[in-house]
Amino acid sequence: MSTSADPLATLAALPGVTESVNAVRAAVDRVYGHRVMRRRSNEVTSEAALRGARGSAALAGADWALEEVRRRTDFGAEGEPRTVGAALRLTAEAGQLLSIWRQSPLRVLARLHLVAAGGAEGDERIGRPRQSGEPVDEPLIGSDLPLPDADEVAGRLDGLARLLLAGSEAPALVTAAVVHGELLALRPFVSRNGLVARTAERIVLVGSGLDPKSICPAEVGYAELGAAPYMAALEGYASGTPEGMAVWIAHCGRAVELGARESTAVCEALQRGAA
């Protein structure tokens, strides 16, 4: 990233980013302007949370049908059920952490990892950045994306926290995309980094005021766009080039647009009495 006083604002000025920001703003405004939102916004928020969790879990290797996620109550089994359960817990937890995020992003990230790794009591690796020599279990991200060492992780996490606490004039989409991309590139925890990164992005989008009711689940969009484009865009972010960063921000923007479209469909269904 740029070393200017406001590197996020520098990213916002990259070619194509303004168009992505404007498209996201228009998509969000459309769903917030739907007549159903005036009286049934809580229902839309609940449905968006469920669909967002399903989408995030799908990217983490548990691509379940929405109705399967809706009806299941037992997520304790290893493998896919644990992944879906982690995504659901993170979605529920995110809304409780907005005020803490503004004061200590790293504390929130530690909490998110604890929530994601529920049931792993006694594992000292949970809820803290990984240390030298500790492996990372992140199936979606293969060996093509270099894994930073523990010292680099610690330094870049500290830098990310300072950047967020300093504030920026950059649009919320840019800040959210950087948080998401940085956490995926770093993989600071021994597991569940993707789930944590997407939840952190959600916290930024809500806390910034872009999506205060959390009804535009970008996770739905990422799942719809597919894992391969997601990883290709992430590689652009990890490259650190202006072109790569712009591609990643645009990908994140498109995901938010698709999340807004999903909730617009929910509003339409509620209006028809079909949801």
Side-chain angles (χ1 to χ4, degrees), residues 35 39 44 95 136 138 202 208 258:
R35 61 186 299 178
R39 61 189 187 279
V44 180
V136 175
E138 201 66 43
R202 165 67 24 216
S208 68
L258 291 172

Side-chain angles (χ1 to χ4, degrees), residues 1 31 61 86 94 103 115 161:
M1 284 186 288
V31 65
Q103 301 170 15
V115 170

Side-chain angles (χ1 to χ4, degrees), residues 99-121:
S99 62
I100 302 174
W101 178 267
R102 296 186 183 102
Q103 301 170 15
S104 179
L106 298 186
R107 181 180 166 195
V108 170
L109 293 176
R111 174 61 185 169
L112 292 177
H113 191 239
L114 280 167
V115 170
E121 294 86 353

Side-chain angles (χ1 to χ4, degrees), residues 222-235:
Y222 293 124
E224 182 174 337
L225 292 167
Y230 184 68
M231 281 306 305
L234 175 61
E235 288 170 8

Side-chain angles (χ1 to χ4, degrees), residues 9-93:
T10 300
L11 292 178
L14 291 174
V17 171
T18 296
E19 289 81 357
S20 294
V21 168
N22 290 341
V24 165
R25 181 75 266 174
V28 173
D29 285 348
R30 278 195 296 273
V31 65
Y32 271 86
H34 197 286
R35 61 186 299 178
V36 165
M37 287 295 296
R38 293 198 293 270
R39 61 189 187 279
R40 303 181 71 177
S41 64
N42 288 343
E43 294 173 69
V44 180
T45 294
S46 295
E47 188 65 20
L50 183 71
R51 295 179 185 220
R54 192 218 74 83
S56 193
L59 284 172
D63 191 2
W64 289 13
L66 179 62
E67 291 310 312
E68 177 70 5
V69 178
R70 197 190 303 279
R71 74 171 186 83
R72 285 285 289 267
T73 58
D74 178 15
F75 299 99
E78 290 295 334
E80 292 188 6
R82 288 286 295 276
T83 298
V84 175
L88 289 167
R89 291 192 302 273
L90 286 169
T91 299
E93 188 77 8

